[in-house]
Amino acid sequence: MNQVPVPSLDELWSILPEEASADAATPEVLSIGGVPVTELAERYGTPLYVYDETGLRRQIRRFTEGLRERWPNSEVLFASKSFPAVGMYRLAQEEGLSIDVAGGGELQMALAAGVDPARIHMHGNAKTDAELAMALDAGIDTIIVDNADELDRLERLLPARSGDRAATPQQLLLRVIPGVAAKTHASQATGGDESKFGLPLGQAAAAIERMRAHPLMDFAGVHLHIGSQILDVEQFAEAVSKLSGVTSDISGGTPFRTYDVGGGLGVKYTYADDAPAVDAYLDAVVAAAREHLPADARLLIEPGRSIVARAGVTLYRVTSVKRTGRTFVAVDGGLADQMDAALTGQRFEAVLANRLDAPWSESVQLVGRQCESGDLLVDGAPMPPAEVGDLVVLATTGAYGYTLANNYNGALKPAIVFVGDGASRLIARRETYADLLATHEPAIVSRA
Ligand SMILES: Cc1ncc(COP(=O)(O)O)c(C=O)c1O
């Protein structure tokens, strides 16, 4: 009797990119954006991050058009930490998104992509002088202040700006802790009372007074972000409701110009997950905004994961199959390019992408090549009996996969390709061993 929980075709397509398909001529091979994965593996090698560009753009429009229809005085910021690639910053701007960066590196990538500084917002709970100076020099739209020490830094840095901007006040938001404990993995909850991000509501008043009093600070309003991979939209509504208290209790009832309610919408990773649609999320946020925020306020949201997760998959090649009582299918990547399974316990689904039509008769341990038993990409993945050389697609890895990629065991960070309309283009090349050695002696000694 077959004990393996085989997904239905509908379930299969629900976790793959929107433009995934099996061509009638080659029903055994998965295509993404009209390009067979066999072709992608051949041309770019594996592991490979593959993004369905058409689906990605469609998902962005669900956010931009959906928010504009419901609350015209609004802005959707792409939380770029979820997929910090120069090609993605460019695509995001093309689609009308503004950009949220956390730190100098993401700011540099956004600027390199040609993003207009007037559409960049900078986050971070430990910004350095150098990063703040970089943001001020670039003339970014908004800095989201996390703490009183950051205000000390800004007080020193603002008057030191050169040129035309020296006398222009910098727009600032204050990050507050709303006291909403998001129902998600502990490492992804950021809005509870214990959070290291932002100031508790009780300490916000002093910071707001300071910003309001300073001639070079333009205090616009407040920011919150309760966490990531949140599947209950009522939690976002609850967070927004906490902001009505902020204006009345903290600033003597004076409404703020801007309310940024962060990101965090969760996505469907597994066949069993039930994730809210973008519309359901926007309905909940905007209903709460209508009830609790001033009608003429500017409303900002910062989705990351929910924009990029489903559009992206990671393509691996099987390097060994071991049957020791359990079946271990090992691939040529692992937690060096896919940290989330180990970091947050996130469950993913995998597909044997070059033999889609073979009977799914085994439940396997899909493992990576890093030296950790925790390098387990999927614990119990249903699939046909795999063989060396087969291609595995790990689904829904478009968010935080490339972000968290590292060089564990000397692994080289994979390349990224965008696919659509039957064509593919390289967005980031694979690292080389020369890249790996470039920051070490003797390379640095000989250049010094
Ligand atoms: C301040 C801020 N905004 C937005 C996001 C994006 O969250 P998500 O990718 O879950 O939408 C994050 C992620 O941690 C964040 O820290």
Side-chain angles (χ1 to χ4, degrees):
M1 200 178 70
N2 186 2
Q3 300 288 323
V4 179
V6 178
S8 68
L9 271 183
D10 279 352
E11 283 174 322
L12 184 63
W13 299 126
S14 75
I15 51 114
L16 287 169
E18 292 180 36
E19 298 292 316
S21 61
D23 188 338
T26 50
E28 72 278 22
V29 178
L30 178 71
S31 288
I32 298 169
V35 187
V37 292
T38 41
E39 199 179 304
L40 292 170
E42 184 75 17
R43 179 159 175 200
Y44 301 102
T46 53
L48 183 69
Y49 298 115
V50 182
Y51 283 80
D52 157 21
E53 185 172 347
T54 313
L56 185 54
R57 289 182 188 269
R58 202 181 288 134
Q59 180 72 345
I60 291 173
R61 287 173 204 173
R62 290 185 185 114
F63 278 101
T64 52
E65 291 167 12
L67 185 61
R68 196 179 315 124
E69 276 161 21
R70 290 168 174 85
W71 192 284
N73 184 15
S74 60
E75 199 171 344
V76 182
L77 276 56
F78 171 52
S80 67
K81 72 196 72 178
S82 61
F83 180 29
V86 171
M88 179 61 203
Y89 286 95
R90 192 171 295 127
L91 183 149
Q93 171 156 269
E94 280 167 15
E95 288 297 333
L97 292 169
S98 296
I99 303 290
D100 120 23
V101 298
E106 289 181 2
L107 175 57
Q108 287 297 321
M109 279 192 276
L111 295 173
V115 174
D116 179 356
R119 296 176 63 176
I120 299 178
H121 295 221
M122 182 186 263
H123 283 287
N125 69 310
K127 302 178 196 80
T128 63
D129 277 9
E131 287 173 318
L132 287 169
M134 194 192 296
L136 295 174
D137 281 351
I140 73 165
D141 185 75
T142 303
I143 295 172
I144 293 97
V145 172
D146 180 271
N147 55 65
D149 296 319
E150 193 175 328
L151 288 178
D152 292 346
R153 291 173 194 276
L154 285 169
E155 275 171 3
R156 267 188 282 111
L157 293 166
L158 280 166
R161 287 172 303 170
S162 56
D164 294 348
R165 271 200 287 277
T168 316
Q170 171 64 47
Q171 180 161 267
L172 303 174
L173 293 177
L174 177 69
R175 180 160 182 168
V176 294
I177 303 176
V180 174
K183 288 178 259 171
T184 186
H185 186 273
S187 71
Q188 293 172 326
T190 55
D193 293 331
E194 314 277 282
S195 178
K196 73 167 179 176
F197 301 100
L199 290 176
L201 295 177
Q203 292 177 25
I208 290 172
E209 290 317 309
R210 248 177 106 178
M211 286 185 268
R212 283 196 161 141
H214 197 291
L216 293 177
M217 296 185 185
D218 174 21
F219 171 71
V222 285
H223 167 276
L224 62 80
H225 171 70
I226 58 171
S228 197
Q229 186 52 14
I230 296 165
L231 295 169
D232 175 1
V233 295
E234 285 314 312
Q235 291 219 288
F236 298 108
E238 185 189 346
V240 173
S241 76
K242 300 287 171 105
L243 293 180
S244 61
V246 178
T247 37
S248 52
D249 300 350
I250 296 183
S251 69
T254 319
F256 305 142
R257 282 202 311 273
T258 303
Y259 294 82
D260 180 339
V261 299
L265 176 61
V267 302
K268 179 175 169 66
Y269 280 97
T270 69
Y271 303 126
D273 282 344
D274 194 11
V278 172
D279 275 333
Y281 162 78
L282 292 176
D283 281 346
V285 168
V286 171
R290 288 206 182 100
E291 191 177 339
H292 300 285
L293 305 185
D296 58 353
R298 188 158 183 78
L299 180 64
L300 271 52
I301 61 171
E302 299 173 338
R305 184 187 303 272
S306 51
I307 286 182
V308 291
R310 183 179 173 189
V313 303
T314 311
L315 182 61
Y316 299 103
R317 202 175 279 284
V318 174
T319 53
S320 77
V321 180
K322 206 185 289 182
R323 293 190 167 82
T324 60
R326 308 189 85 172
T327 301
F328 292 96
V329 174
V331 295
D332 55 0
L335 65 73
D337 56 77
Q338 215 66 250
M339 276 280 282
D340 247 0
L343 192 67
T344 68
Q346 181 59 57
R347 159 106 196 168
F348 294 90
E349 303 286 3
V351 176
L352 202 62
N354 59 319
R355 288 199 288 123
L356 274 184
D357 57 348
W360 295 38
S361 54
E362 258 192 318
S363 176
V364 311
Q365 299 299 93
L366 184 71
V367 298
R369 53 180 293 138
Q370 270 69 54
C371 297
E372 303 271 338
S373 291
D375 184 14
L376 177 59
L377 293 170
V378 185
D379 181 2
M383 60 173 60
E387 291 168 13
V388 171
D390 275 339
L391 291 172
V392 170
V393 152
L394 196 68
T396 335
T397 54
Y400 300 102
Y402 180 71
T403 310
L404 294 169
N406 59 76
N407 298 117
Y408 191 174
N409 293 147
L412 303 175
K413 288 186 197 167
I416 306 169
V417 294
F418 279 3
V419 289
D421 297 330
S424 62
R425 62 191 174 105
L426 195 62
I427 290 302
R429 68 160 171 79
R430 184 177 308 284
E431 279 185 338
T432 62
Y433 289 126
D435 291 330
L436 201 61
L437 297 172
T439 54
H440 296 261
E441 58 88 14
I444 48 165
V445 174
S446 60
R447 267 183 223 151

